[in-house]
Amino acid sequence: MIEDIFTGIPLGIFLSFLVGPVFFVLLETSAVKGFRAAMVFDFGVVLADILFIAVAYFSSYRLIQTIKNDPAIFIFGGIMMLTYGIISFIRLKKVSKKVDEIPVEELIKKNYVGLFFKGFFLNFINVGVLLFWFMILITIGPKLELETSRMITFFSTVLLTYLIVDIGKVLLAKQLRSKMTPANILKIKKLISILLVIFGLTLMFQGWFPSEQKLVKKALEKIE
């Protein structure tokens, strides 16, 4: 059990520092809305990870192979993220025209349910996350002898480490709150919207040019 815990810790740290849409939105949420809001967002992200781990664990490799070989799924996820980023940017452009009239409280208002589902949504539409967990499962699973208790220990350690490291990131980002004027908040939100557009396009390109999926194909061939 101790060995499984120590195996999961480095992966949790690595996962926390993977640069993606969730990484930037988490920091933005912390800087603009505070610690509690950022953690609610992060819990939504973790729920999506738990769902993906369950799918990878309980499904046959044929399901993953179907996803891997269907670029439309990547393209669909990319379009959703791209659309979300564009709509957010357009809304912020309209708001920025009257930025001097908007109180800070209006820009940082917190909807915890919305933040939770936002975290879940941003992670869930990234099909690459499912493939990532599947790769971890087929790499680490045999070392854990596919024992349910050991698998639970390992993946729980990974996700708990991920959350602990994220708490540190959130606390650091929270130090910027003193500089959160309406103008600065809008700039940060616009930047995040642009990044979501970029990540959406990247996800779509994974569907058009699925080079990284070759890794999954090799892994599946080993299983066969």
Side-chain angles (χ1 to χ4, degrees):
M1 180 178 177
I2 299 298
E3 182 182 348
D4 298 338
I5 291 175
F6 281 111
T7 302
I9 290 174
L11 180 59
I13 296 173
F14 169 76
L15 183 63
S16 182
F17 285 100
L18 277 179
V19 178
V22 167
F23 178 90
F24 291 107
V25 176
L26 176 67
L27 297 183
E28 178 256 342
T29 303
S30 176
V32 175
K33 299 186 177 183
F35 177 84
R36 187 178 300 175
M39 292 312 300
V40 169
F41 170 85
D42 214 20
F43 288 143
V45 173
V46 171
L47 178 61
D49 280 324
I50 292 173
L51 181 60
F52 279 146
I53 291 171
V55 169
Y57 181 74
F58 290 109
S59 66
S60 68
Y61 78 89
R62 288 186 178 84
L63 173 61
I64 307 299
Q65 190 175 43
T66 299
I67 295 174
K68 172 186 70 67
N69 290 328
D70 189 356
I73 296 177
F74 283 86
I75 295 172
F76 177 71
I79 290 174
M80 291 183 69
M81 191 175 295
L82 176 68
T83 303
Y84 184 86
I86 292 175
I87 292 175
S88 297
F89 186 82
I90 292 174
R91 286 178 177 173
L92 291 170
K93 285 285 286 183
K94 293 179 180 179
V95 172
S96 63
K97 294 179 181 178
K98 50 182 180 179
V99 63
D100 295 330
E101 306 171 12
I102 303 174
V104 175
E105 292 76 11
E106 180 66 20
L107 290 173
I108 65 174
K109 61 182 179 180
K110 304 167 187 177
N111 177 355
Y112 291 118
V113 174
L115 284 168
F116 179 84
F117 283 106
K118 181 179 180 180
F120 179 85
F121 171 77
L122 284 179
N123 205 25
F124 185 77
I125 63 176
N126 189 350
V127 183
V129 177
L130 173 58
L131 295 180
F132 168 81
W133 284 119
F134 182 70
M135 289 296 296
I136 295 300
L137 184 67
I138 62 177
T139 302
I140 300 296
K143 297 179 181 179
L144 301 177
E145 300 175 344
L146 293 176
E147 291 184 12
T148 303
S149 59
R150 296 187 65 186
M151 300 283 277
I152 291 175
T153 299
F154 170 77
F155 284 109
S156 296
T157 301
V158 172
L159 294 177
L160 182 59
T161 303
Y162 169 83
L163 277 173
I164 291 173
V165 176
D166 270 6
I167 288 173
K169 286 161 36 183
V170 166
L171 290 174
L172 287 174
K174 186 183 175 183
Q175 303 306 312
L176 299 174
R177 289 201 75 188
S178 60
K179 300 180 180 180
M180 289 297 104
T181 63
N184 287 339
I185 291 174
L186 283 174
K187 287 178 182 178
I188 292 174
K189 286 181 174 289
K190 284 182 181 178
L191 176 61
I192 295 300
S193 297
I194 293 171
L195 288 172
L196 289 177
V197 169
I198 293 172
F199 284 117
L201 290 172
T202 302
L203 195 58
M204 291 170 66
F205 283 134
Q206 287 179 352
W208 289 326
F209 307 102
S211 57
E212 74 171 39
Q213 297 174 33
K214 292 179 181 178
L215 296 174
V216 179
K217 183 177 181 180
K218 291 179 181 179
L220 290 169
E221 288 173 350
K222 290 181 181 180
I223 294 178
E224 292 176 320

